[in-house]
């Protein structure tokens, strides 16, 4: 088998606080975040949104994600992403 990973993995306690800095190093200013309503309601999305916003990153959140999304949901996410034109 073959294992591929990102060039850099950030993990550990409070690692999410570094997400804005990591995205800025990618020279990206617009991020499209795909999630679901459960994570929004639990406040997890805010934990990601806040450091991105503080780093000056523009964020669009698609909260209609599902574990096994239908083609309709996937198409909705694609349309939204294309309209937003994210860089990451």
């Amino acid at each position: 088998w073959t294992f591929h990973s990102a060039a850099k993995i950030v993990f550990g306690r409070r690692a999410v606080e570094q997400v804005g800095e990591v995205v800025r190093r990618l020279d990206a200013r617009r991020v499209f975040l795909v999630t679901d309503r459960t994570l929004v309601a639990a406040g997890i999305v805010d934990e990601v949104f806040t450091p991105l916003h503080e780093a000056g990153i523009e964020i669009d959140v698609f909260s209609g994600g599902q574990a096994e999304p239908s083609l309709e949901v996937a198409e909705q996410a694609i349309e939204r992403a294309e309209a937003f034109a994210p860089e990451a």
Side-chain angles (χ1 to χ4, degrees):
W1 55 272
T2 303
F3 174 77
H4 298 276
S5 72
K8 181 175 186 176
I9 297 174
V10 179
F11 65 95
R13 189 177 297 219
R14 303 166 75 99
V16 72
E17 294 174 2
Q18 300 174 47
V19 71
E21 178 184 328
V22 170
V23 170
R24 287 189 64 151
R25 278 193 235 130
L26 296 173
D27 203 27
R29 298 287 182 241
R30 297 168 61 83
V31 170
F32 186 67
L33 179 62
V34 178
T35 187
D36 62 31
R37 289 178 181 88
T38 301
L39 293 178
V40 172
I44 304 299
V45 173
D46 287 339
E47 291 181 26
V48 175
F49 184 93
T50 299
L52 287 169
H53 181 73
E54 289 173 352
I57 307 297
E58 188 176 350
I59 310 116
D60 188 17
V61 178
F62 177 79
S63 61
Q66 301 170 344
E68 295 293 333
S70 65
L71 286 176
E72 180 181 342
V73 170
E75 289 170 357
Q76 290 171 359
I78 290 167
E79 287 176 16
R80 178 93 167 258
E82 287 175 340
F84 181 65
E87 299 169 339

